[in-house]
Amino acid sequence: MRFRIDKLGVVIAALLAYGAFLAPFANFRANRIVPGEPRAILDALPAGLGTALLIFIAIALVFVVLKTPTLLRLLLGLAALSVLAILIGLSASHLTPPENTYARVSPASGFWLTSFAFALLTADALARLRLSPFARVTLLAAAAAAVAALLMSGAWDGLSILKEYGSRAETFWLEAGRHVLLALGSLVAATLVGLPLGILCHRVETLRAGVLNVLNIIQTIPSIALFGLLIAPLGWIALNVPGAAAIGIRGIGVAPAFVALFLYSLLPVVANTVVGLAGVPRDANDAARGIGMTDRQRLFGVELPLAFPVILTGIRIVLVQNIGLATIAALIGGGGFGVFVFQGIGQTAMDLVLLGAVPTVALAFAAATVLDAATELSNSKPSRAA
Amino acid sequence: MIEIDNITKRYGDNTVVDNVSMTIAPRTVTVIVGTSGSGKTTLMRMINRLVEPTSGAIRIDGEDNRGIPGYELRRRIGYAIQGHGLFPHRTVAENIATVPGLLGWEKSRIEAKVKELLSLFQLDPAAFGPRYPHELSGGQQQRVGVARALAAEPNILLMDEPFGALDPVIRAKAQEDLLAIQKHFGTTIVLVTHDMEEAFHLADKIAVMDKGRIVQYAAPEDMLVNPATDFVETLIGVGERPFRLLSIGTVGEAAEAGTAEGEPLAAATSQRDALSSLLWSGREALPVVGADGVPLGRVTLASLARRAARPR
């Protein structure tokens, strides 16, 4: 029997070896702002468990280096991620002295590296399995449910990030709502404006270059600068346009953040609409006119359905981009997860930064997965109905 | 009847169609031939107003074609193009149902029409109706394209190089089918092509276009005997003349009483193809059968040679 080496497996194994045997697993701090003391796996976990985890990782290490069945690799990746998720919670309760509410335990580089390595293994296995869009979304939902169950069960309550959450539970959900509202709201507005604008650009050639250039230039303005640039005009509108202030338009706050995100969203929506419409087969368009469709019937019956996958790709870009960019809205009082990030930076409390950053990343990842699946579904050539 | 009256189309300084007049008789096949850039496609597209003329008028059955909105006019005129132009996101049945749908036909009537047309084009409605265009072969796509053009029972069918994308064997079959369908519905067909062979095979009348003008508009036989200009003569090809003459008629017309040995020829085969079969098989005569396989007699080398001689 010959053993063959998996190339990506070697990288994963190297990450695992360093993460598990050399890097610290958890950080212990006497209170939330003093520097932490790193703890290796054997110290961070109750005696038997630490040894068991090291043995488990050693076996996994050999398993991933060799060419092994993809399904087994996927199962190993998922199992290992779950084990790590539970153990980091246990580590927190193990390291925190009883009755001590000031001490903080957070995951350290070793935990992140091993998790990343197993996530890489999982992602690689998933890519090789070529799962259907439905299966991918189902898997995402299952993962979300597992994380939710862990959160509800209290297994992670000892972790510093959840202690930060515990003292801000109400604001957390308020800012989460604002974040989603900013990202989704600006996307909806950009689609409502961008789609017709894209269609117009497609039909009127002279308009195309001009509009796309302007949108390109907007895209290159750094986000913080754009927020700043909007303060003056929006402030003026709030003062001088009757009723503007009443509906929440102000120089700072949600309004400029919303407008900035909207402006950034326009380019991908308009550009993809133009590209999608340009990709509609000439024959189909000519035939549509030739058999007596009006311009309107041709647009809704032929052009838009055929351009839809490309337009959806644009919307995916916008949504993921907006979820990330909305973080910066906190700088000008727009709210969102960025509030925790900037508070955390101000207080040098990294756990608080994570409380803002982790949900943002998770949200962006989920949005990307769902919209990728939708794009693939709309793109796949329909086959025989029967 | 289509009357084209002093029609001109200019794009800027470029005159694409230059003061063309012609009358197309009902229930005939008229083929417009010419090199690329001769204006033949533009001329055809002015009939259903995909292109609006700079000056002149076109009357269909005596009525000016500008009397109704362009899209309504186009719903009454069939339109089939090279590469079929089927809608990739709609099934075969939905594609064929497009124009009846635009005209607001009842659902049951549309379904019946789709079935009728698919059967007519030798495509099983149950098997092909729910398929998507990309699941069909090139020949099948082309047939669906023509079926869609005929769905609203138009009196006139415009075709722009409809067989250009097909390989020679399938093209010959498609041409036979078109002639059969033209007889079946009595449709007036205006077909644009650059293929002289196709023109002679299909046309009741051929219009040769060059630089935006009609150089000659005549029945194929007349054009062979009396080409109007050197250009027409070159287009026909002097060496091809007897064979062009043979492509006009079918074996059925040349059949005589009697029997012969060998692989039988279908009556719809062109005389040119029959000559080719005779020469290749080395026989003096071959049997001729009708569409249903009934023997109709035989065709001889001598009779074809007589028919290929210059008419007088």
Side-chain angles (χ1 to χ4, degrees):
Chain A
M1 182 171 172
R2 268 185 69 221
F3 292 104
R4 288 192 302 161
I5 304 290
D6 186 279
K7 279 181 205 143
L8 183 67
V10 174
V11 177
I12 295 174
L15 286 172
L16 282 180
Y18 178 79
F21 296 98
L22 296 172
F25 188 68
N27 253 326
F28 174 79
R29 280 165 302 161
N31 63 54
R32 66 190 281 255
I33 49 175
V34 293
E37 306 157 22
R39 299 282 164 88
I41 287 184
L42 287 177
D43 299 331
L45 291 168
L49 273 178
T51 324
L53 179 61
L54 283 181
I55 294 171
F56 172 72
I57 289 180
I59 295 171
L61 219 138
V62 179
F63 186 84
V64 298
V65 169
L66 300 175
K67 275 213 186 296
T68 37
T70 311
L71 194 63
L72 286 183
R73 292 171 86 86
L74 174 65
L75 290 179
L76 173 70
L78 291 174
L81 284 174
S82 328
V83 166
L84 284 173
I86 293 167
L87 287 185
I88 193 68
L90 280 178
S91 157
S93 42
H94 176 66
L95 288 177
T96 313
E99 306 298 321
N100 181 336
T101 53
Y102 300 107
R104 291 287 195 266
V105 176
S106 56
S109 60
F111 170 82
W112 293 120
L113 275 177
T114 42
S115 300
F116 174 68
F118 282 120
L120 204 60
L121 179 70
T122 312
D124 177 52
L126 282 174
R128 286 194 211 179
L129 282 176
R130 293 174 191 283
L131 289 182
S132 72
F134 286 119
R136 292 207 305 267
V137 173
T138 311
L139 213 61
L140 176 73
V147 170
L150 274 170
L151 284 170
M152 309 270 267
S153 71
W156 283 345
D157 282 356
L159 286 174
S160 53
I161 182 170
L162 281 181
K163 291 197 173 163
E164 297 291 349
Y165 167 75
S167 52
R168 293 177 175 76
E170 250 174 64
T171 27
F172 179 85
W173 290 110
L174 193 74
E175 300 301 353
R178 274 194 196 164
H179 199 99
V180 171
L181 199 73
L182 269 179
L184 274 184
S186 57
L187 168 70
V188 170
T191 309
L192 287 180
V193 174
L195 210 57
L197 193 59
I199 293 167
L200 201 67
C201 285
H202 172 71
R203 291 268 162 107
V204 188
E205 211 163 321
T206 44
L207 207 65
R208 199 177 307 160
V211 169
L212 288 179
N213 277 334
V214 169
L215 293 179
N216 253 317
I217 291 168
I218 293 177
Q219 203 79 0
T220 60
I221 304 175
S223 45
I224 296 185
L226 187 55
F227 287 140
L229 285 174
L230 285 169
I231 291 178
L234 286 174
W236 185 87
I237 289 175
L239 274 180
N240 295 292
V241 177
I247 57 166
I249 293 181
R250 255 168 297 157
I252 56 165
V254 177
F258 190 92
V259 173
L261 289 177
F262 164 78
L263 289 175
Y264 282 129
S265 310
L266 274 182
L267 179 68
V269 174
V270 174
N272 279 52
T273 305
V274 170
V275 170
L277 289 176
V280 172
R282 254 178 54 101
D283 283 354
N285 247 328
D286 184 40
R289 282 192 66 212
I291 63 178
M293 286 190 177
T294 61
D295 281 354
R296 203 188 155 82
Q297 287 164 339
R298 190 160 55 93
L299 179 66
F300 288 105
V302 178
E303 292 186 294
L304 282 182
L306 289 175
F308 184 65
V310 183
I311 297 174
L312 201 58
T313 309
I315 288 177
R316 175 211 183 275
I317 295 171
V318 168
L319 186 56
V320 174
Q321 167 189 291
N322 275 4
I323 290 173
L325 271 179
T327 319
I328 307 185
L331 270 185
I332 50 164
F337 286 129
V339 168
F340 305 118
V341 174
F342 291 112
Q343 275 181 15
I345 292 173
Q347 305 172 7
T348 60
M350 277 307 123
D351 302 322
L352 192 52
V353 175
L354 283 181
L355 183 64
V358 172
T360 309
V361 172
L363 209 58
F365 178 76
T369 308
V370 170
L371 280 177
D372 274 344
T375 309
E376 200 180 312
L377 276 181
S378 70
N379 214 354
S380 64
K381 282 257 168 90
S383 60
R384 209 176 316 172
Chain B
M1 181 144 81
I2 307 170
E3 292 162 281
I4 298 173
D5 194 2
N6 294 316
I7 207 97
T8 295
K9 179 65 189 179
R10 276 191 216 95
Y11 292 104
D13 289 338
N14 186 16
T15 305
V16 183
V17 173
D18 190 1
N19 200 26
V20 165
S21 295
M22 65 192 284
T23 302
I24 294 167
R27 287 178 285 285
T28 60
V29 180
T30 300
V31 177
I32 307 174
V33 283
T35 48
S36 66
S38 60
K40 56 188 191 297
T41 298
T42 308
L43 176 62
M44 190 196 78
R45 288 164 75 94
M46 283 192 284
I47 296 175
N48 67 354
R49 284 176 59 201
L50 279 173
V51 173
E52 298 285 355
T54 309
S55 67
I58 294 178
R59 284 181 301 277
I60 294 171
D61 295 330
E63 278 177 51
D64 194 307
N65 70 350
R66 285 165 297 188
I68 50 171
Y71 59 88
E72 273 184 38
L73 174 76
R74 290 191 279 273
R75 287 172 195 174
R76 296 185 192 173
I77 298 177
Y79 184 68
I81 54 176
Q82 175 172 13
H84 62 75
L86 294 176
F87 304 137
H89 61 301
R90 296 192 183 175
T91 63
V92 166
E94 286 165 353
N95 262 289
I96 297 176
T98 308
V99 186
L102 293 176
L103 290 172
W105 285 16
E106 267 174 47
K107 210 170 159 241
S108 56
R109 187 175 165 207
I110 296 179
E111 276 171 17
K113 190 72 201 174
V114 169
K115 263 192 192 147
E116 179 201 331
L117 280 167
L118 279 173
S119 310
L120 198 62
F121 281 89
Q122 296 135 44
L123 298 167
D124 175 19
F128 285 91
R131 288 198 199 174
Y132 283 87
H134 71 96
E135 297 174 304
L136 308 183
S137 71
Q140 290 165 344
Q141 289 172 342
Q142 194 274 337
R143 275 184 269 168
V144 175
V146 179
R148 181 178 66 182
L150 292 172
E153 300 167 1
N155 291 328
I156 298 171
L157 173 59
L158 305 180
M159 307 182 93
D160 190 357
E161 304 260 5
F163 310 119
L166 302 181
D167 69 59
V169 177
I170 299 174
R171 186 187 310 157
K173 171 86 173 76
Q175 289 169 349
E176 295 315 324
D177 288 349
L178 182 70
L179 287 176
I181 282 181
Q182 193 264 338
K183 283 211 178 69
H184 181 90
F185 288 115
T187 316
T188 309
I189 295 181
V190 180
L191 187 145
V192 161
T193 182
H194 63 270
D195 179 354
M196 225 28 194
E197 181 67 29
E198 183 165 281
F200 272 92
H201 182 43
L202 296 176
D204 293 312
K205 261 185 131 178
I206 298 178
V208 177
M209 276 192 87
D210 184 34
K211 301 191 188 84
R213 289 172 167 277
I214 292 209
V215 188
Q216 188 169 13
Y217 179 40
E221 298 89 341
D222 299 343
M223 196 170 277
L224 277 175
V225 184
N226 300 310
T229 65
D230 290 348
F231 177 77
V232 177
E233 197 159 354
T234 319
L235 214 56
I236 294 170
V238 175
E240 291 284 325
R241 281 184 298 197
F243 307 109
R244 298 268 188 245
L245 200 52
L246 287 182
S247 4
I248 299 169
T250 64
V251 180
E253 295 159 17
E256 53 192 66
T259 54
E261 292 296 305
E263 187 73 17
L265 296 163
T269 316
S270 77
Q271 291 170 11
R272 179 187 183 136
D273 290 343
L275 176 66
S276 166
S277 300
L278 279 165
L279 292 173
W280 189 246
S281 64
R283 293 176 191 276
E284 291 290 320
L286 280 172
V288 178
V289 294
D292 36 12
V294 179
L296 293 178
R298 62 176 185 169
V299 60
T300 63
L301 211 47
S303 74
L304 289 185
R306 248 186 344 267
R307 283 164 184 275
R310 183 188 171 123
R312 24 196 121 243

